[in-house]
Structures are given as structure tokens and as C-alpha cells.
Amino acid sequence: MNLRDVTMQSRKANGRARSKVVGLAVSAMLFSASLTQAQDGPDYEDLLAGFADAERWLTYSGDYSGKRHSPLTQITPENVARLRPVWTFQAGTTTRGRGFETTPLVDDGVLYVTGSNNYAWAIDARSGRSFWQYQRNLPNNLTYGASAPVNRGFGMLGNRLFMVTLDAHLLAFDRRSGEVLWDIELADYRIGYAATLAPLVVDDKVIVGISGGEYATRGFIDAYDPETGARLWRFNTIPRPGEPGSETWPDDPEILARGGGGTWMNGSYDPELNLIYWGVGNPNPDYYGDQRPGDNLYSNSLVALDADTGELRWHYQFTPHDLNDWDSNHMPVLAEIEWQGSSRQVVMVGNRNGFFYVLDRVTGELLLGKPFTATTWARELDADGRPIILNDGSQGCLPDPWGSTNFMPPTFYPGLDLFILTARETCATFVPEEPANQPGVANFGGVVYIDGEQGSGALRALDVHTGDLVWEFTYPSPTFGGVMSTASGLVFAGDHEGNFMAFDAQTGENLWHYQTGSRIWGAAAMTFMLDGQQLVLIPSGTTLTAFALEPLN
């Protein structure tokens, strides 16, 4: 078969020539076959179906629940030792030791991948070869986007892909060509805004959050029309004067306007309740609380929003009046579990403050809150669910600003009822200083000293009924690798040393590992079937690696 290389180039001019699509060598016959099958692309019913089609992974977590638990069973604890790399894709763009933090989407044998500095690709899932590449022309005066130039993935609906940018825009692409269809501004990047998450697509809405809580900004969650880019609603995570929650701040519009509350990690969705669950970041200034007495809602909270209107249904604040940058930007995990003799719809969070939480996802009622690390900051919650602070830092070290866990996705294993997450044991001293509150300049309000000699990490499996530790696998250093599980009894995770590993879900036994050559930071594995073979993919550094079982001789 003769393969004809096609070079595709297109440019969308928007007054500043901001978007560029660069065509790469493409196998025309193979790609056209994929496109023929994918003319309509996945619709909302397909997104609702989640893992029903084994050859698809259509959302950041694979489905709306955030469990990151695949039903695939071809790779098992008995044969995982035969797992071998089958291809790699080199991005050629990195982020000061972080690199890929994305979760690829896959449909009809094509992977859709975002990378650092707002690169993006369509990749042949069989070979790792690019069909098209996009590179955004970013301004040279980025604020938050310059300090963390990462991206965590696409959203998808039909033949449209959606990606946020480091200069705080939302783009829609034609997934067949990489052409930018529309480009809208979320906020002004010059005062500290950026965007890094994977958009959440819910029916006729593209839902996104914003980064920039370390700057004098106000966070928000937005919904946009996927066809036009028109904004449908906005929920401000820091209220305006007179709005509910504003009583937890000083009566000063300027303080509220720069109150932080970034929403830089995507959320989960319950279609039956029509509720979106989204984590909110730290108040600003991060470490200096004298300018913002009070609980500072809705910072460090989980908010449940009506998907149609953005109206707040309930909230739960994990760390009132945060002074340690312990954002609540985690993946909320939705499940139905047995709770004290009856079935309960819950949302679970392993929080940066060191506590594991189980909440009723209909009402927000606290069902369980228990530490999952050795933190001395607090060891229990009071009757109102507030941490009882034992150590404000004056009695020794606290978890560092990256916290006891972070944005790296956990997994929930149904049947075993295990919440499995990456835990970090660290030691830091926080020294607050009065900040300048200057637009476009980082506004931490202090410095942090981290004791590198005391850091370690672990993969921990928690009993969701009690919060008790069931098993753990220790890492030599604090780690940012995410977690995925499969119905065959496997858990996949990675560490700061670049090891990608598979574990027995029941016991935590390490069954297999592969040295990727770069730290696994923020990313978690994903998996799908292709041509009768289960593939497992992990991003690491500048490389995306695909694994499959080595055939038996």
C-alpha cells in the first residue's frame, strides 16, 4: 500500500494572529478512514455512556464520575508482567521538570492530546504518529501562565475539541483538521489569569475554570455554548458585596475582587441530579491572613452547581481561612456506596489539608472526615466539620504548600470500596509577610521553607467507610503521579523518580514497573481497546508511552 503524505496548514487570524495550525506528515489513507468513521463524533449520549464503548476514552476521567476506574480486564494481575511499550510520542515541549500533565482522549483510533505551552496533537493510536499539530502564539508577557505553562487535556463533543490557554482563552477546534473554529477570552491574563484544565462538556455546555489564585484575582467557573463560544453563565468563587458568602470576608469590595479562589482543576458531574462538583483554590494573599479575617468563602471548598444555571446548590469548606495554600483543586469522585445499612450517593475527596472526606452529594452533609497522612496540623473535625487545629506551625513542621495530596487524580475501586490516592509527607515552615496586592504580580504574602530531608510519598488505599488505611506502597520522595484502576484488579500509578507501576488492587503488591526516564507529574494513566488489544498510556516528561501485553511465544 502506497502512503501519501499530506501537509496541512491553516491559520486563524483574530487581530493578533494568535492561532497557528502546523500540518505534519499524515498517512492519508489511514487518517481518511478514521475520519469517515468519525464524521459525527461523540454526542452527549456517548459522553453519558462513559466506558460503555471499550475503544473510547471521551472525558478527562473516562466518565463523569471521576472514579478513573476502567471496566477493561484483558491486562490482569496474572499477566501484567508481560506489559511492554509498543510506541512512544515525543512532544518536544516541556515545563521545567513537569512536562505532560494531560489525559489523552481517544475515539475511532485517534488520540487527541494537549501539551505544555498550548501545543496540541491528533495522534494515530496504533503508531503514535501525528496527524496534525497545533501551536498557540502566546504573548511574551504571560503572568500565571509563565509560571505553570501546562495543560491537562481536551474536552470533546461531536467533531469539536475544546482547549483552554495560558493567556486565559477558550478555543474550539475542528478535530479532523486542527482548525480553530472560535476563540474567546475568559479573563485578562495581564492581571494574573491563565487556564490549564481539561474542559468538562455537559450536554450543550463547555464548562471551564480559571487559574491565578496566587495573583490579585477573583476565581470563577464558566459555561459556554459549544457552537458559538457565547458565555451562558458564570459562578464567582469569591462573592461580590452583599452576595451569600460575602459575610465571611471584610466589608471591602477591593479585598473581595482580589480574593483568589482559582478553579484550575476540572470537576465531576451527576446527570441525575444535574449537579456539577468543582473544587475551589486558596484565598489571596496565600499566607497572609490579616487583610482577610473570616472563613473566606468559597475558597478551599467543594461547590455543587446547577449545570443549567450555575446556581450554587451547596458548598462544603475544607479549610476555613486557609494560611497554607492548601487549595481544594482535587478531582471530586462520585460513587454509590453502602453507608450504615443503606445505599448512599456520595462525593469523596482526598484533600490537600491531609483529610479524606465523604460527603452526601445530594445535600453536602459531612459523613466522614479522617486524616490520611501523619500531619500534625489537625487530627479530627469538630461537630460542624471544621478542622480542630493543633499545630499552626509553631509546634513544628506543616505539610508544604503542595499539601498532603494535590491535583493528581485518585481512583475509586467499586466492590473493594477503596479510595486510592497519592499521599505526600512533607515538612514546611510558613513565614507570612504583608503583600503589595499589585495587579499582574504574584501575591503570596510570605515565604515558605521546606525541609527536603523529611519528604516522602506513598500510594495509599483507604476504606471509604472508615478512612482507615488498607494498604500502602511507599515512594522515596513526595510524588505527583495520578492513579487509575481497572476491573481486572489492577491499579496503575507513577512516582517522582519516573517509575510507572502496576499494583494488585486488593493487597497493594507491586506487580510490574517501567522506568519512563522522567518524573510523572500530575498525570494519570488511561486505557482503551484497539484492534482487540488493551493499551495503557502514561504521559511522562515530554513523552507519551503506549503499553500492551507482549504476545506469548
Side-chain angles (χ1 to χ4, degrees), residues 82-167:
R82 291 170 32 217
L83 208 58
R84 297 291 185 271
V86 294
W87 57 255
T88 60
F89 171 77
Q90 296 290 341
T93 176
T94 190
T95 310
R96 291 188 298 181
R98 293 173 64 162
F100 268 133
E101 296 185 12
T102 189
T103 293
L105 305 184
V106 64
D107 184 39
D108 289 311
V110 180
L111 290 159
Y112 301 96
V113 182
T114 66
S116 303
N117 302 302
N118 289 136
Y119 279 72
W121 303 267
I123 299 172
D124 187 341
R126 294 175 173 84
S127 66
R129 187 179 187 184
S130 295
F131 292 131
W132 55 253
Q133 174 182 301
Y134 168 85
Q135 176 187 355
R136 184 161 179 81
N137 291 327
L138 292 163
N140 59 13
N141 61 339
L142 290 174
T143 51
Y144 182 87
S147 63
V150 300
N151 190 277
R152 298 187 179 95
F154 279 122
M156 182 191 296
L157 183 66
N159 278 323
R160 297 196 173 199
L161 300 168
F162 306 95
M163 182 181 79
V164 296
T165 71
L166 299 171
D167 54 345

Side-chain angles (χ1 to χ4, degrees), residues 38-74:
Q39 286 300 310
D40 295 329
D43 60 18
Y44 179 49
E45 294 300 319
D46 295 321
L47 300 183
L48 285 170
F51 291 115
D53 186 335
E55 295 189 351
R56 285 175 153 176
W57 186 292
L58 299 178
T59 64
Y60 177 79
S61 299
D63 68 4
Y64 282 135
S65 74
K67 295 184 185 74
R68 200 169 278 259
H69 178 77
S70 167
L72 298 187
T73 58
Q74 186 180 93

Side-chain angles (χ1 to χ4, degrees), residues 386-470:
R386 300 171 68 92
I388 301 172
I389 299 175
L390 302 174
N391 176 17
D392 60 2
S394 61
Q395 301 179 45
C397 60
L398 295 174
D400 68 18
W402 290 105
S404 295
T405 191
N406 209 279
F407 66 93
M408 49 278 200
T411 189
F412 171 69
Y413 201 111
L416 298 179
D417 281 1
L418 294 179
F419 187 92
I420 307 169
L421 80 168
T422 301
R424 305 174 72 255
E425 302 283 2
T426 57
C427 173
T429 301
F430 294 77
V431 180
E433 297 175 354
E434 186 170 0
N437 299 318
Q438 181 179 344
V441 177
N443 202 51
F444 287 94
V447 294
V448 182
Y449 300 97
I450 299 174
D451 184 350
E453 298 298 319
Q454 297 197 46
S456 65
L459 182 67
R460 290 183 176 153
L462 310 178
D463 184 324
V464 300
H465 304 283
T466 63
D468 292 342
L469 180 67
V470 176

Side-chain angles (χ1 to χ4, degrees), residues 76 179 550:
T76 69
E179 177 189 359
E550 185 177 50

Side-chain angles (χ1 to χ4, degrees), residues 234-300:
R234 168 168 289 184
F235 173 76
N236 288 304
T237 58
I238 307 300
R240 290 186 168 88
E243 293 180 343
S246 62
E247 70 280 1
T248 66
W249 291 83
D251 186 16
D252 186 332
E254 291 187 8
I255 291 176
L256 287 168
R258 61 172 187 262
T263 50
W264 47 268
M265 189 65 191
N266 45 314
S268 301
Y269 173 59
D270 183 333
E272 293 184 5
L273 298 174
N274 197 34
L275 290 182
I276 297 163
Y277 303 87
W278 212 284
V280 183
N282 59 275
N284 190 272
D286 298 46
Y287 313 132
Y288 189 81
D290 291 358
Q291 294 179 347
R292 50 174 178 83
D295 285 354
N296 306 143
L297 289 173
Y298 294 94
S299 70
N300 299 83

